Amino acid sequence: MAVTGDGPDEAHRRPPGLDDVTVQALGKFSEALETVERVRGHLHALHQLTGTADFMLDEAVSLFMQGGHTAIAERIERELIGRNVIPGRWTFQIVEEFDDGYYSEFRALERDARDRLAQGRRHLYEAELKERRRTRGRPGHEALPGGTG
């Protein structure tokens, strides 16, 4: 979006009447959501790594069998392979419950706050922080991509 003058584009400018405390609150809420996004990524890592470990057990069982350790191999097959990671759930179920519950509610509330208070605009706190910290006229400190300010 074209901007006249220097500074952030319209999507990252504070709407008229929006006070500093509200911009800070929205920024903190957004930061909290970003942290929950990281949690979600870790849950997906848990899901993938647990699955990988479960398939590695197949190879371990085979090697134990080849080495004549049948009792150990059979115990791994019986007690570990395919086991729930928490009662009644594999990791995909944990991810789905997180996504459908806490995560979706968190995202909805953060978006609702932005819609109600800032006309849906995102990262207002960060956009203003950028303006305070950048050196105007210095390469690599432009307000916008392809800009000169």
Side-chain angles (χ1 to χ4, degrees):
M1 179 180 299
V3 174
T4 56
D6 196 19
D9 60 11
E10 188 62 30
H12 295 100
R13 288 181 194 243
R14 182 188 296 212
L18 191 60
D19 62 276
D20 290 345
V21 172
T22 303
V23 169
Q24 287 178 318
L26 288 168
K28 191 54 71 175
F29 202 174
S30 174
E31 184 180 12
L33 175 58
E34 290 169 4
T35 301
V36 169
E37 294 284 1
R38 290 178 60 202
V39 168
R40 185 171 182 259
H42 289 298
L43 282 176
H44 281 272
L46 167 81
H47 169 57
Q48 292 174 347
L49 290 169
T50 302
T52 298
D54 194 64
F55 285 118
M56 286 179 181
L57 290 175
D58 293 333
E59 187 175 348
V61 164
S62 176
L63 292 168
F64 279 126
M65 290 288 222
Q66 290 174 38
H69 307 287
T70 306
I72 292 173
E74 289 174 349
R75 184 172 180 205
I76 292 169
E77 282 183 317
R78 184 177 59 252
E79 296 183 24
L80 269 184
I81 293 177
R83 181 186 175 104
N84 292 323
V85 294
I86 61 173
R89 289 175 181 79
W90 273 21
T91 56
F92 77 90
Q93 292 166 306
I94 297 168
V95 169
E96 287 178 357
E97 288 181 33
F98 179 82
D99 279 354
D100 294 345
Y102 185 77
Y103 176 70
S104 64
E105 185 69 15
F106 205 118
R107 285 188 53 159
L109 288 172
E110 190 272 342
R111 180 177 205 110
D112 182 64
R114 281 189 290 106
D115 288 347
R116 288 175 182 251
L117 301 171
Q119 300 172 1
R121 295 175 186 181
R122 297 179 292 175
H123 297 108
L124 295 176
Y125 181 82
E126 290 90 339
E128 292 180 5
L129 182 63
K130 177 181 178 178
E131 285 306 299
R132 288 192 302 272
R133 295 182 61 85
R134 71 186 186 90
T135 303
R136 283 176 171 65
R138 181 103 176 126
H141 288 255
E142 299 82 8
L144 300 170
T148 57

